[in-house]
């Protein structure tokens, strides 16, 4: 976790993107090149195309949980959706919303400390990700 935290922080400091930071830290683990992960998140920045909608940190969490938890069957899809809902609830409890416009409340990402949200998103993933022994079931 410490390595992912450092990597995500570095990506965030370079890009200013929560989603790029989170997906980039997990890129190797989910089997995509880091540059592809960064490009995948471009349209999600600022809450879906800078519209202030779903926080791109949550978009990245959704992608990672889907890659790690879904096995192509209805049962695992349902379980994954449950984990995504948990992530959304955790995020909303901590930040008062899941949309960028609600989280930022008119502030810039720097003023709203989005860098901290990256770390919190990684902690949420650590809680919700299947452990190695669960992935083999």
């Amino acid at each position: 976790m410490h390595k992912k935290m450092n990597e995500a922080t570095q990506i965030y400091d370079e890009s200013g993107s929560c989603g790029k930071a989170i997906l980039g830290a997990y890129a190797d683990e989910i089997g995509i090149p880091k540059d592809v992960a960064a490009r995948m998140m471009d349209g999600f920045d600022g809450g879906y195309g800078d519209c202030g909608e779903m926080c791109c940190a949550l978009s990245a969490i959704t992608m990672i949980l889907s890659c790690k938890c879904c096995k192509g069957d209805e049962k695992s899809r349902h379980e994954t959706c449950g984990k995504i809902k948990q992530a959304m609830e955790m995020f909303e409890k901590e930040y008062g919303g899941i949309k960028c416009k609600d989280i930022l409340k008119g502030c810039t990402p720097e003023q709203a400390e989005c860098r901290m949200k990256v770390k919190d998103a990684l902690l949420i993933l650590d809680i919700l990700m299947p452990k190695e022994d669960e992935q083999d079931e």
Side-chain angles (χ1 to χ4, degrees):
M1 172 54 80
H2 185 69
K3 182 182 176 218
K4 277 187 178 54
M5 200 73 73
N6 287 339
E7 186 172 3
T9 300
Q10 180 180 350
I11 295 169
Y12 181 80
D13 289 344
E14 292 169 1
S15 69
S17 168
C18 299
K20 286 179 186 179
I22 296 159
L23 194 61
Y26 274 90
D28 292 338
E29 193 171 322
I30 61 173
I32 58 173
K34 290 187 187 315
D35 65 314
V36 172
R39 289 195 318 270
M40 285 173 63
M41 291 310 305
D42 274 336
F44 293 91
D45 282 341
Y48 281 74
D50 289 330
C51 293
E53 295 301 320
M54 176 77 74
C55 173
C56 68
L58 282 168
S59 297
I61 287 173
T62 300
M63 288 181 201
I64 294 163
L65 287 173
S66 294
C67 284
K68 294 295 287 182
C69 301
C70 282
K71 299 174 180 141
D73 60 81
E74 189 60 27
K75 181 179 184 251
S76 67
R77 189 194 74 76
H78 182 73
E79 290 170 356
T80 302
C81 287
K83 289 179 184 249
I84 292 165
K85 287 175 187 171
Q86 283 182 277
M88 291 171 71
E89 289 167 2
M90 292 171 164
F91 216 81
E92 187 162 21
K93 182 179 178 186
E94 184 67 27
Y95 294 109
I98 59 172
K99 294 181 177 185
C100 282
K101 60 186 166 191
D102 296 332
I103 295 167
L104 295 177
K105 295 178 178 79
C107 297
T108 66
E110 293 79 21
Q111 292 168 324
E113 298 183 8
C114 284
R115 191 175 199 261
M116 183 51 105
K117 291 167 187 62
V118 168
K119 292 178 181 182
D120 288 342
L122 291 173
L123 293 172
I124 288 169
L125 275 167
D126 191 53
I127 291 167
L128 297 176
M129 290 284 275
K131 306 306 176 226
E132 290 303 317
D133 56 332
E134 292 174 355
Q135 289 182 349
D136 297 333
E137 294 176 359

